[in-house]
Amino acid sequence: MAAAEEQASPQQPTSQPTWHGIVLQTLKRNDVRLVPYVPDRVLTTLIKNLHADPFFTTFPTAREEEAVGIVSGAWMAGMRGAVLMQTSGFATLANVLASLAVPYQIPLIMFVSERGTLGEFNYGQALVCRTMRPVLDSLAMEHHTITRLDELEFIADRSIKQAVTTQAPVALILSPLLTGGKVFDK
């Protein structure tokens, strides 16, 4: 029967899903329309695809705290948003998370491209990487490190739903095992 079905329908080229495609579709499915970001090489394809899709309002910010403030204000006005950043940018957020997102129950969704591990050349990135999870834990913030493509959609979708339902921020840390990390040119 399977052979007959294969003959009856023309072969469609199968394209493998990409991590950035899954993130974009998951944001869209959860009505997350606003996506401010601080530019990052690992997130470049995702950022370009968000800009190209009229569903999203996407723009760069000068600092991560600015992006968090924008998403927080948008939530108060009835719009869902997510912030894109890298690990080193997360290091600037302890105050805005502790004084705005957590106490005012903002379902801030953060996608953080992880630097500072797996061959990192910048010692400063490595230090920040080691402090990121303890800071999230001390703020009692939900966070997940995503390492595999087959777990990305489930974790991102459920984390967004939980953030909105519980009105609590969440950090989704995108491991280099998932994204390929930053490519270091010689």
Side-chain angles (χ1 to χ4, degrees):
M1 172 121 182
E5 288 178 302
E6 286 179 12
Q7 290 175 355
S9 64
Q11 285 286 336
Q12 296 290 332
T14 58
S15 61
Q16 292 285 16
T18 60
W19 71 265
H20 43 83
I22 292 170
V23 170
L24 186 143
Q25 289 305 314
T26 303
L27 290 171
K28 192 179 274 193
R29 193 171 48 256
N30 284 282
D31 198 33
V32 177
R33 295 176 173 270
L34 181 66
V35 188
Y37 62 90
V38 175
D40 172 53
R41 182 180 277 182
V42 173
L43 299 172
T44 297
T45 302
L46 173 59
I47 290 167
K48 286 181 181 177
N49 292 343
L50 289 166
H51 275 288
D53 191 323
F55 179 84
F56 297 101
T57 300
T58 306
F59 52 89
T61 60
R63 296 182 53 88
E64 290 76 9
E65 302 96 299
E66 178 185 7
V68 169
I70 290 166
V71 167
S72 297
W75 171 256
M76 292 175 197
M79 178 183 256
R80 295 179 185 180
V83 176
L84 308 179
M85 69 187 80
Q86 70 167 266
T87 306
S88 63
F90 177 83
T92 68
L93 293 181
N95 182 53
V96 73
L97 294 174
S99 64
L100 177 63
V102 173
Y104 289 96
Q105 299 177 285
I106 308 293
L108 171 68
I109 300 151
M110 296 183 292
F111 285 90
V112 184
S113 69
E114 186 176 33
R115 291 274 311 270
T117 185
L118 298 173
E120 178 63 56
F121 71 94
N122 182 330
Y123 184 62
Q125 291 281 5
L127 288 173
V128 171
C129 185
R130 288 195 295 267
T131 64
M132 179 171 50
R133 288 169 187 84
V135 168
L136 289 164
D137 289 339
S138 71
L139 292 169
M141 278 185 57
E142 186 82 17
H143 60 91
H144 302 280
T145 301
I146 305 170
T147 60
R148 298 186 345 237
L149 191 63
D150 66 337
E151 65 187 13
L152 172 59
E153 183 176 4
F154 180 84
I155 293 172
D157 182 66
R158 295 294 175 93
S159 295
I160 292 168
K161 285 174 173 43
Q162 181 177 344
V164 171
T165 302
T166 63
Q167 295 188 336
V170 64
L172 299 169
I173 303 164
L174 305 174
S175 167
L177 294 170
L178 173 72
T179 66
K182 182 175 179 181
V183 178
F184 304 103
D185 299 328
K186 290 185 178 184

